[in-house]
């Protein structure tokens, strides 16, 4: 692909930011647009566990992206920290799954995929995580699972892009339609006027489906609300991530503890609710009884881009030359971002792809 191209990216979450970052050195210019402020939607709201919550329950297409990303995140974070001075804080704590119904399937998956997942005696689990609640009888553990401090990752990516002379960032710039030239998509109509590009990339998360409707396309990506709460404890309070009954506790390096999350189909409403607060607090206390005495210092909601089986759409849209998708990551946008954005750049630029792109191609899926 010739380097004289201008690429317009619609959506400034982690997928849009990292897509821009990967393309910037390969194309003439990148223009990134976001309807509000960069990285303030689901990328900011998520927990940042660098693993699907239950990786063995996913399609192999999700697993392939997850494994590549897990291995790549430490070097991405180091590179961003070195260039921006903002540390995305990849924090490798390991993850305990408690009282799983499908423990046998999890262990079989780990053996097949060569991942370091093993059964741990519950008393050894309590030794390793002294604050863990008493109500659990079984545990499995994966040692190398990290979490990334997603608000810091987003700040670091934004700073890295601001330093690049051929990248333009437009916040508060809502896209309402695509500009067509015959079968080709050559730009977008935005609140700042028409913006043209040789390639248009849709990375608008939960909003991607609505934008594609303007072209008569039916992309099955819909908003799925998730609420989280945050506690502040001592930095050594919780040594590892723990997960039970679909709820998890994530320790940050400075002692912040995230508890998540709900799964709600409420359209684009992201108002935090009292009922979710109470439910999350109950889960927090079941996992870690000492949190009953701790103060909730944050409570928020985000909208995940729900998609069938959580398999993202990565590639060019058939019949719409110049229109590309990198969206629909559902619960795993942060987990899958490095691999998704590397694969996207490979496909767009005609390079040898890091992962087989077939399962993610929009052809036949929209």
């Amino acid at each position: 692909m010739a380097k004289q191209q201008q690429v317009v990216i619609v959506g400034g979450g982690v997928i849009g930011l990292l897509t821009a970052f990967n393309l910037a050195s390969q194309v003439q210019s990148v223009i990134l647009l976001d309807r509000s402020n960069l990285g303030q939607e689901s990328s900011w709201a998520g927990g940042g566990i660098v693993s699907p919550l239950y990786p063995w329950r996913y399609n192999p297409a999700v697993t392939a992206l997850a494994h590549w990303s897990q291995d790549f995140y430490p070097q991405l974070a180091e590179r961003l920290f070195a260039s921006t001075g903002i540390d995305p804080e990849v924090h490798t704590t390991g993850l305990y799954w408690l009282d799983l119904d499908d423990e046998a399937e999890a262990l079989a998956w780990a053996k097949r995929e060569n991942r370091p997942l093993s059964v741990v005696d519950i008393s050894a689990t309590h030794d390793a995580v002294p604050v863990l609640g008493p109500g659990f009888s079984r545990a499995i553990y994966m040692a190398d699972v990290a979490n990334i401090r997603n608000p810091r990752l987003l700040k670091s990516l934004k700073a890295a892009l601001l330093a690049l002379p051929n990248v333009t960032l437009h916040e508060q710039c809502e896209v309402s339609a695509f500009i067509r030239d015959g079968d080709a998509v050559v730009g977008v109509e935005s609140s700042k006027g028409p913006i043209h590009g040789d390639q248009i990339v849709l990375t608008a998360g939960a909003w991607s489906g609505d934008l594609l409707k303007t072209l008569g396309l039916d992309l099955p990506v819909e908003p799925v609300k998730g609420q989280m709460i945050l506690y502040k404890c001592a930095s050594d309070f919780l040594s590892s991530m723990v997960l039970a009954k679909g709820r998890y506790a994530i320790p940050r390096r400075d002692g912040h503890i995230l508890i998540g999350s709900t799964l709600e189909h409420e359209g684009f409403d992201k108002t935090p609710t009292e009922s979710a607060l109470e439910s999350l607090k109950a889960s927090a206390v079941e996992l870690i009884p000492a949190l009953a005495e701790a103060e909730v210092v944050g409570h928020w909601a985000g909208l995940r881009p729900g998609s069938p089986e959580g398999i993202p759409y990565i590639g060019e849209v058939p019949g719409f030359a110049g229109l590309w998708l990198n969206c629909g990551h559902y619960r795993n946008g942060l987990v899958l971002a490095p691999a998704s954005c590397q694969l996207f750049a490979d496909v767009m630029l005609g390079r040898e792809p890091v992962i087989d792109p077939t399962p993610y191609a929009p052809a036949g899926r929209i």
Side-chain angles (χ1 to χ4, degrees):
M1 184 171 280
K3 190 156 177 174
Q4 74 278 9
Q5 292 212 319
Q6 177 157 294
V7 178
V8 177
I9 299 173
V10 181
V14 68
I15 300 293
L17 291 166
L18 198 48
T19 298
F21 188 68
N22 285 352
L23 289 177
S25 64
Q26 305 297 315
V27 300
Q28 187 181 29
S29 65
V30 176
I31 300 172
L32 177 64
L33 319 172
D34 195 89
R35 58 192 286 281
S36 55
N37 293 322
L38 293 172
Q40 293 304 295
E41 295 291 351
S42 67
S43 303
W44 184 92
I49 301 176
V50 186
S51 169
L53 291 186
Y54 300 97
W56 54 90
R57 297 179 188 172
Y58 278 91
N59 185 293
V62 174
T63 302
L65 293 172
H67 286 179
W68 196 93
S69 290
Q70 284 166 323
D71 295 339
F72 187 75
Y73 250 124
Q75 68 197 71
L76 173 65
E78 281 173 26
R79 183 178 164 195
L80 288 169
F81 187 20
S83 66
T84 67
I86 302 166
D87 186 358
E89 291 190 18
V90 173
H91 187 29
T92 305
T93 64
L95 173 57
Y96 288 90
W97 287 266
L98 305 163
D99 291 359
L100 280 173
D101 292 334
D102 57 351
E103 187 178 292
E105 287 89 335
L107 294 166
W109 168 86
K111 190 173 182 184
R112 197 168 61 243
E113 297 286 340
N114 197 27
R115 301 311 271 188
L117 183 68
S118 55
V119 174
V120 183
D121 183 81
I122 198 68
S123 63
T125 305
H126 280 286
D127 289 344
V129 189
V131 293
L132 184 66
F136 304 103
S137 56
R138 300 188 328 279
I140 60 174
Y141 177 67
M142 200 186 296
D144 62 352
V145 183
N147 66 75
I148 191 151
R149 195 159 183 176
N150 34 313
R152 302 276 172 95
L153 172 67
L154 296 159
K155 277 184 186 162
S156 188
L157 277 168
K158 181 178 176 180
L161 290 172
L162 284 169
L164 297 174
N166 65 331
V167 175
T168 307
L169 306 179
H170 289 299
E171 297 183 291
Q172 308 297 328
C173 179
E174 184 147 18
V175 169
S176 55
F178 296 96
I179 300 170
R180 305 281 301 275
D181 180 5
D183 288 339
V185 175
V186 296
V188 295
E189 297 286 0
S190 82
S191 54
K192 296 191 177 177
I195 298 171
H196 289 81
D198 300 293
Q199 311 290 336
I200 310 301
V201 187
L202 188 56
T203 57
W207 288 265
S208 300
D210 276 11
L211 277 169
L212 283 182
K213 280 193 181 100
T214 66
L215 294 173
L217 291 169
D218 186 18
L219 181 77
V221 172
E222 58 168 9
V224 182
K225 182 174 173 178
Q227 299 189 50
M228 310 270 294
I229 57 175
L230 183 70
Y231 294 92
K232 179 71 170 76
C233 302
S235 60
D236 60 353
F237 172 75
L238 179 63
S239 57
S240 179
M241 294 181 281
V242 291
L243 195 161
K245 301 179 188 172
R247 297 280 170 88
Y248 50 78
I250 304 171
R252 300 297 196 217
R253 281 191 205 152
D254 65 0
H256 279 101
I257 310 285
L258 285 146
I259 304 289
S261 67
T262 63
L263 271 176
E264 306 165 66
H265 292 265
E266 303 280 350
F268 286 96
D269 172 20
K270 54 173 195 170
T271 313
T273 62
E274 194 62 34
S275 58
L277 176 63
E278 292 310 315
S279 172
L280 289 163
K281 279 167 127 179
S283 294
V285 171
E286 185 177 7
L287 280 167
I288 302 165
L291 291 178
E293 309 303 317
E295 179 193 356
V296 175
V297 294
H299 174 210
W300 62 86
L303 300 172
R304 309 175 186 88
S307 59
E309 292 191 84
I311 301 171
Y313 297 85
I314 302 171
E316 195 167 15
V317 180
F320 295 85
L323 179 60
W324 299 76
L325 303 182
N326 192 358
C327 59
H329 294 75
Y330 196 18
R331 301 192 75 172
N332 294 307
L334 284 152
V335 184
L336 306 181
S340 296
C341 298
Q342 180 70 43
L343 177 61
F344 180 87
D346 291 344
V347 173
M348 178 181 267
L349 299 169
R351 300 187 301 213
E352 182 69 27
V354 287
I355 288 163
D356 175 12
T358 313
Y360 321 101
R365 298 180 65 208
I366 56 176

